[in-house]
Amino acid sequence: MAQRAVWLIRHEPGTPLGGTVRFSRRYPTVEKRAKIFNGTSYVPVPEDGPFLKALLFQLRLLDDDKDFVERRDSCSHINKSSIYGLVVGGEELWPVVAFLKNDMIFASVPLVEQALSPRPSLISISGVSQGLELLFGIQDFLYSSQKNDTDLNTKVSQLPDLLLQACPLGTLLDANLQNSLNSINFSSVTQPQKQPAWKVGTYKGKPQISIFITEKVKCMQYGKQDIADTWQVVGTVACKCDLEGIMPNVTISLNLPTNGSPLQDIIVHPCVTSLDSAILTSSSIDPIDDSAFSGPYKFPFTPPLESFSLCHYTSQVPVPPILGSYHMKEEEGQLKITVNLKLHESVKNNFEICEAHIPFYNRGPVTHLEHKVSFGQLEVFREKSLLVWIIGQKFPKSMEISLSGTLTFGIKGHNKQPFDHICTGNTAYVKLHFRISDYTLTGCYADQHSVQVFASGKPKISAYRKLISCDYYIWNSKAPAPVTYASLLP
């Protein structure tokens, strides 16, 4: 007996959507059980937006819904209970427990511990009666001794903590939410709230929330037909929440643009209280298709006092931000090099820093250099056998730049010159170092207006983004290069 998800929806006739989701809670562990029990008939719980639209349509609560619909309005589909089947994305989500009371829709999706085809009888699904009991308990809590909308809003803000006590992991323990309210000692109760052991103190001062999204892009480019280039984005979302109160609750949503790359391999901080199962199951091991979950990624949590990493993720973007080629060969005791770089048109052309480091290992100091650069400037560190191509803050309008040169090296010393076990012979690389502020390669951003805060005072919310290169290598295409994966040849 468990619930996969619970919703509280305000019916608002005359508005574009017809309603607003005031509260929702999903139980990822129950969702995984549903996937196992239901087998091929499993239908995932949708996001709030599609669920809201499908539920209002099924309950005939949409303003423009005046047409006859066979599967809903025919005589053979007269509904004598509060159990519905919602068509979302071409699949039917069943059973959905829902009823309307005082312009508020109470809904839940119970766990069915068997296959859904053929459809089992309702009396055999214990989660249905548990869902009704839970929803009636929420209704009684919201409307008992309610005086105005302020009282209602206060009680809605308490639901996340109450369900942690009354319905942990989707299993109902106590439908009387007032008992849970008393047990956890909210500020409305005269008893002081107990300080959790992991929180060493409380914050006093101006409320504010800072969100930092940092993406690091790793890349290995070879310039060879038999070896595929690889690249990957690794992201971190860090937060600092200065909020008064012992147990404030915050929900942050990460969003992607229409053409954004889905987030995968998401790992969250222990303070996160619940997650959509689609967030947990998105993995880089599985191939990305059009059905891959692309957000919004909601993270409800109770923040610690210090800065912390809310989540980590990876993403496979379509192309690396900077494409390059490196050609190096030795002729008559001299090295001839050619480097070409191209900034992809989709990338923000505004760098804090952009440099290309070209080291020459296992050789003597640079004694002579003739070079030509189409853009930027070149610095030579002769004793370190290193060239640093300073590109600057912007690529030119063509988005393409090049460097060519001829180098001569002196006699190799014993300990002065750089040594490397891999870069022997003509095996060499160019390493890019760049940083772009207010930008992410996936397009991921934190919507400041959708941040929900259940605490005293209205906090100032700030969001920052940054893209940083990390292990961004372009290998000499004229020599062997280290690879850690199979080539494209059979």
Side-chain angles (χ1 to χ4, degrees):
M1 296 190 300
Q3 304 301 306
R4 296 166 59 184
V6 180
W7 287 269
L8 181 63
I9 298 171
R10 166 80 77 175
H11 179 220
E12 299 172 340
T15 60
L17 298 178
T20 302
V21 177
R22 295 292 306 275
F23 170 80
S24 66
R25 168 63 57 84
R26 289 168 174 78
Y27 297 97
T29 55
V30 183
E31 192 68 17
K32 287 189 175 182
R33 291 164 58 194
K35 193 171 185 178
I36 296 173
F37 282 126
N38 301 159
T40 57
S41 57
Y42 166 77
V43 176
V45 172
E47 283 299 297
D48 290 349
F51 181 85
L52 171 65
K53 183 177 180 180
L55 181 61
L56 293 179
F57 172 81
Q58 188 64 37
L59 297 178
R60 303 177 181 86
L61 295 177
L62 293 175
D63 294 336
D64 56 353
D65 183 18
K66 299 179 181 179
D67 297 331
F68 176 83
V69 180
E70 175 70 24
R71 64 177 174 80
R72 182 195 65 183
D73 301 324
S74 67
C75 295
S76 59
H77 291 82
I78 297 177
N79 198 330
K80 298 181 179 179
S81 67
S82 297
I83 314 301
Y84 302 90
L86 305 186
V87 178
V88 182
E91 298 180 300
E92 185 179 34
L93 179 66
W94 183 92
V96 177
V97 181
F99 60 86
L100 175 66
K101 184 72 173 180
N102 296 331
D103 291 328
M104 196 74 78
I105 303 172
F106 302 82
S108 72
V109 178
L111 172 67
V112 180
E113 298 179 344
Q114 57 185 301
L116 297 176
S117 181
R119 183 171 291 183
S121 61
L122 290 176
I123 198 171
S124 67
I125 305 174
S126 57
V128 171
S129 57
Q130 185 195 68
L132 284 169
E133 186 178 5
L134 172 61
L135 296 179
F136 283 132
I138 295 175
Q139 175 192 321
D140 292 341
F141 170 73
L142 293 180
Y143 292 103
S144 61
S145 68
Q146 179 210 348
K147 298 179 181 179
N148 48 46
D149 287 342
T150 302
D151 291 342
L152 179 62
N153 294 335
T154 300
K155 291 187 175 182
V156 170
S157 69
Q158 294 171 345
L159 285 179
D161 289 302
L162 291 178
L163 288 188
L164 285 176
Q165 299 286 330
C167 193
L169 301 177
T171 301
L172 182 64
L173 299 182
D174 188 357
N176 188 341
L177 299 191
Q178 188 62 43
N179 291 340
S180 299
L181 180 66
N182 294 334
S183 66
I184 60 178
N185 297 324
F186 273 102
S187 59
S188 59
V189 183
T190 55
Q191 301 175 3
Q193 188 174 1
K194 185 178 179 181
Q195 180 84 7
W198 54 265
K199 198 167 186 179
V200 296
T202 58
Y203 173 79
K204 295 293 184 181
K206 186 177 180 180
Q208 55 186 356
I209 296 176
S210 299
I211 307 167
F212 305 88
I213 303 177
T214 302
E215 289 188 350
K216 295 182 178 181
V217 56
K218 301 181 178 182
C219 187
M220 297 280 271
Q221 299 183 39
Y222 299 97
K224 299 182 179 182
Q225 293 183 350
D226 59 335
I227 302 178
D229 298 340
T230 62
W231 58 92
Q232 187 183 47
V233 172
V234 179
T236 299
V237 181
C239 293
K240 180 69 168 70
C241 299
D242 296 326
L243 301 172
E244 293 187 345
I246 294 177
M247 293 286 282
N249 287 283
V250 180
T251 298
I252 289 177
S253 295
L254 300 182
N255 297 271
L256 297 175
T258 305
N259 59 345
S261 301
L263 309 185
Q264 301 170 314
D265 305 324
I266 297 176
I267 301 174
V268 300
H269 190 275
C271 71
V272 175
T273 55
S274 67
L275 275 179
D276 191 306
S277 61
I279 296 178
L280 293 173
T281 56
S282 180
S283 171
S284 59
I285 299 177
D286 303 322
I288 298 178
D289 53 33
D290 293 338
S291 62
F293 183 69
S294 57
Y297 304 85
K298 295 184 177 181
F299 300 92
F301 60 94
T302 299
L305 289 176
E306 67 278 3
S307 297
F308 68 100
S309 296
L310 177 63
C311 71
H312 302 274
Y313 62 85
T314 67
S315 183
Q316 189 61 54
V317 296
V319 292
I322 299 179
L323 295 168
S325 64
Y326 181 31
H327 308 299
M328 185 187 84
K329 59 182 180 179
E330 192 165 0
E331 294 181 357
E332 301 177 352
Q334 294 181 321
L335 281 184
K336 293 187 176 182
I337 65 170
T338 303
V339 182
N340 296 293
L341 300 177
K342 181 179 180 180
L343 180 67
H344 193 269
E345 59 185 7
S346 65
V347 178
K348 180 181 179 182
N349 189 11
N350 191 357
F351 295 82
E352 289 185 8
I353 183 177
C354 186
E355 298 178 351
H357 290 205
I358 311 172
F360 300 95
Y361 292 104
N362 310 317
R363 300 179 185 273
V366 178
T367 57
H368 180 72
L369 169 66
E370 294 180 2
H371 72 278
K372 180 181 179 181
V373 290
S374 66
F375 192 80
Q377 60 185 32
L378 188 68
E379 292 188 357
V380 185
F381 296 87
R382 297 183 182 274
E383 293 299 323
K384 296 182 179 179
S385 302
L386 172 68
L387 303 182
V388 176
W389 184 8
I390 301 175
I391 299 168
Q393 295 183 329
K394 285 182 178 291
F395 273 63
K397 291 183 178 180
S398 64
M399 300 295 185
E400 298 183 25
I401 57 177
S402 63
L403 161 67
S404 59
T406 302
L407 298 95
T408 303
F409 297 89
I411 300 175
K412 183 171 63 173
H414 294 287
N415 299 316
K416 294 182 178 180
Q417 277 68 51
F419 174 79
D420 188 271
H421 290 283
I422 296 177
C423 295
T424 58
N426 286 343
T427 298
Y429 62 79
V430 174
K431 187 175 183 180
L432 298 185
H433 300 263
F434 57 85
R435 185 167 63 247
I436 307 176
S437 61
D438 195 26
Y439 177 78
T440 53
L441 203 55
T442 61
C444 178
Y445 66 95
D447 186 356
Q448 297 167 253
H449 301 292
S450 66
V451 175
Q452 299 178 8
V453 181
F454 302 105
S456 60
K458 184 177 181 180
K460 176 186 177 182
I461 300 174
S462 304
Y464 309 90
R465 300 191 297 170
K466 184 174 291 187
L467 174 68
I468 304 174
S469 64
C470 175
D471 298 334
Y472 204 105
Y473 293 98
I474 302 172
W475 289 92
N476 178 21
S477 61
K478 303 296 184 180
V483 293
T484 56
Y485 57 94
S487 68
L488 297 180
L489 295 179

